[in-house]
Amino acid sequence: MRWRGRWRGASLSRRLLLGAALFIALALLLATFAIGFALHRFVQGQIDQRLDTQIVFLQSQLHMAEDGTLRLSGAVDGPPFDRPQRGWYWQVEGPRNTLRAASLEDRALALPRVPPKPPHRPPGPPPPEPTDVRPADGPGPDGMRLHYRVLQIVVGGAPVTILATAPRDAVMGPLRAAMGTLALSLIALGGALVLAMVLQVRLGLRPLERLRRDIAGVRDGSIDRIPDDQPREVQPVVDEINALLAQNAANLERARAHVANLAHGLKTPLATLALAVSERKGGDSAAGDLAALTGLMERRIRHHLGRARMAALNGPARARTALAPRIADLVVVQRKIYAERHLTFDVAVGADVAVACEQQDLDEMAGNLLDNACKWARTVIRIRAAADGPIVRLSIEDDGPGLSEQEMAQALRPGARLDESAPGFGFGLPIARELAELYGGELMLQNAADGGLRATLTLPRAAGAA
């Protein structure tokens, strides 16, 4: 069972490579046996044909003399049967004498055990055919392993046995040489097939690697969905993933709307109640208790709304918003709102700066800060943004009157308004701070060098941002 689990957990490329390698090895092994068998039969057939020709020639020259001995009508020791101790021999055994090849040099061939004789032919004197010759293997007179061809006939009414032999190495020698060359060829072929298989697997699985990169891009927010130009086999998976992404985006938008509605439905009345209680408490202990309870409720609501918002966002990892175009759009809106004041906007935001933040939240944070700067600026608003390692710092600075340390702390409290004559409800800066904290960032207020107020918003940098 353990090996099954390991096999299921193995990579696709490893499975394909291992399966193809086993198949190639088995195919080459079977091909080696098949080709070796075919070569053996071919070489053996050539040797048998040479021996059978010699036997037929001996039979044609053979006759029975008047004294009952066997005689040959002519010379029959042609090549290679004229070479001594080479294994190419012939021998004719009769009832009274035995004829031998000159290459035997007066030595005798021992008749080996031969297969059973074929069925008896019908009566008549048809000449023997090579198909009547039976094969056998055995040792020769000098210990050499020989291959025999044996024919048993009747000459002058007497049984005669004709033998012709060839060295067994005449078959195995060429076969070994051929198989050696064949083995090298098959090894080279196997190597080429394995290389082609590796290339095929790599090319075949390349779309999966591209799909992995696309999914990583969706996760880090660099792309919204996986591109549709995929191979036909991968396209159904891509369609399902894109459908899931669209469904999650719709669910996220609904969750964001619910959280926003809950935030506006609870926080504004609660902040108003807190202000009313603080104005009336004076020396009233009951009003002081109500103020404490109101503060506790406000903290708990902030805590649970923050958790709900982060759960809806599923963390800032996927969120990615380019900063420059959002700041440009917000500046256009503020120019129209405060057109009668003729404010100058000095913007320096890199085109490659992006934050791990939803666009709506960025618009709300930066919009509140920019709106606050426009309310108090005399002539100029400076906007700067730059990446600093894993974070992005966005600063919005005005040339207004600025704030004291105490006023800065009060400005970040919900519902606290430093100037009742200015429009608004005092929730802009606290909302921007809360949103920044939800994303793991912060909002800091400090006086600028020329006396105005500088609001610095710190947010996490988007993954993959330059």
Side-chain angles (χ1 to χ4, degrees):
M1 299 299 293
R2 183 176 298 177
W3 68 267
R4 289 183 180 179
R6 290 180 179 177
W7 176 254
R8 290 195 186 102
S11 66
L12 289 178
S13 60
R14 184 177 300 176
R15 290 186 180 190
L16 293 174
L17 291 174
L18 182 59
L22 291 176
F23 177 79
I24 290 175
L26 180 60
L28 291 179
L29 186 62
L30 293 177
T32 300
F33 281 111
I35 296 174
F37 178 75
L39 287 176
H40 182 272
R41 291 196 60 180
F42 175 77
V43 176
Q44 185 71 63
Q46 296 295 315
I47 298 298
D48 288 348
Q49 184 178 2
R50 181 68 184 86
L51 295 178
D52 291 348
T53 301
Q54 180 67 17
I55 289 175
V56 172
F57 182 58
L58 288 170
Q59 181 185 359
S60 67
Q61 299 294 318
L62 187 64
H63 64 276
M64 183 73 71
E66 294 180 358
D67 57 358
T69 60
L70 296 174
R71 296 285 187 271
L72 292 171
S73 301
V76 294
D77 284 331
F81 296 94
D82 57 348
R83 304 173 188 174
Q85 299 182 358
R86 296 293 182 88
W88 293 91
Y89 308 131
W90 60 264
Q91 180 173 292
V92 180
E93 297 182 1
R96 294 193 175 185
N97 67 325
T98 299
L99 304 176
R100 300 183 180 89
S103 56
L104 278 173
E105 297 178 339
D106 297 330
R107 293 173 297 177
L109 291 173
L111 181 63
R113 182 178 180 180
V114 295
K117 187 176 181 180
H120 184 68
R121 289 178 174 276
E129 301 175 356
T131 53
D132 295 328
V133 181
R134 287 173 288 170
D137 286 328
D142 49 5
M144 183 184 299
R145 184 174 175 81
L146 301 179
H147 175 65
Y148 287 76
R149 298 287 286 177
V150 182
L151 178 63
Q152 294 178 341
I153 59 174
V154 176
V155 178
V160 175
T161 301
I162 304 176
L163 299 86
T165 68
R168 194 62 189 166
D169 284 344
V171 177
M172 300 309 297
L175 184 61
R176 281 193 294 267
M179 291 302 295
T181 303
L182 175 65
L184 293 177
S185 301
L186 290 179
I187 290 174
L189 176 61
L193 290 176
V194 169
L195 178 60
M197 173 189 62
V198 171
L199 294 176
Q200 181 180 5
V201 169
R202 289 187 178 275
L203 291 176
L205 295 181
R206 184 171 294 177
L208 295 181
E209 174 61 23
R210 188 175 64 207
L211 178 60
R212 184 197 65 79
R213 292 195 299 267
D214 291 338
I215 293 176
V218 171
R219 180 178 60 82
D220 63 29
S222 58
I223 57 176
D224 295 330
R225 67 194 308 274
I226 300 175
D228 292 326
D229 55 337
Q230 304 289 340
R232 182 167 47 190
E233 292 78 8
V234 182
Q235 189 63 50
V237 178
V238 172
D239 292 340
E240 291 297 329
I241 294 177
N242 284 334
L244 178 61
L245 291 174
Q247 182 179 358
N248 288 342
N251 293 338
L252 173 63
E253 194 61 32
R254 286 195 294 270
R256 286 177 54 82
H258 290 315
V259 171
N261 292 336
L262 183 60
H264 288 290
L266 293 178
K267 295 184 66 177
T268 301
L270 186 62
T272 304
L273 177 61
L275 287 175
V277 170
S278 64
E279 290 175 355
R280 296 180 58 183
K281 68 179 182 180
D284 191 349
S285 60
D289 293 339
L290 288 176
L293 290 175
T294 303
L296 177 61
M297 291 173 60
E298 192 271 340
R299 288 193 300 272
R300 289 188 176 180
I301 289 174
R302 285 181 57 190
H303 172 71
H304 289 291
L305 284 180
R307 292 186 60 184
R309 192 181 193 95
M310 292 306 296
L313 293 174
N314 196 21
R318 274 192 52 200
R320 177 188 174 91
T321 304
L323 201 55
R326 303 314 311 150
I327 296 297
D329 290 345
L330 292 173
V331 167
V332 171
V333 173
Q334 296 300 325
R335 285 185 190 276
K336 294 179 180 179
I337 295 175
Y338 298 96
E340 73 282 356
R341 300 192 55 191
H342 305 289
L343 297 173
T344 300
F345 293 86
D346 181 9
V347 181
V349 178
D352 56 350
V353 179
V355 293
C357 173
E358 292 291 331
Q359 176 180 322
Q360 298 91 332
D361 291 336
L362 177 63
D363 289 347
E364 188 169 1
M365 288 184 285
N368 284 330
L369 296 180
L370 192 57
D371 182 69
N372 187 75
C374 290
K375 289 177 182 178
W376 303 105
R378 294 187 179 92
T379 57
V380 178
I381 296 175
R382 298 179 181 86
I383 304 173
R384 302 286 186 269
D388 183 11
I391 63 174
V392 172
R393 300 186 191 276
L394 170 65
S395 66
I396 299 177
E397 178 182 327
D398 62 68
D399 60 348
L403 297 174
S404 64
E405 295 291 336
Q406 183 178 0
E407 289 174 332
M408 290 181 191
Q410 184 180 357
L412 294 176
R413 292 204 305 267
R417 298 177 59 192
L418 302 179
D419 188 350
E420 297 293 334
S421 63
F425 298 95
F427 291 104
L429 293 179
I431 289 175
R433 186 194 66 178
E434 291 177 8
L435 286 176
E437 290 174 352
L438 288 177
Y439 281 99
E442 62 179 344
L443 173 62
M444 296 184 300
L445 300 180
Q446 60 186 138
N447 287 319
D450 57 359
L453 181 67
R454 178 188 299 130
T456 302
L457 183 65
T458 302
L459 293 172
R461 185 180 181 184

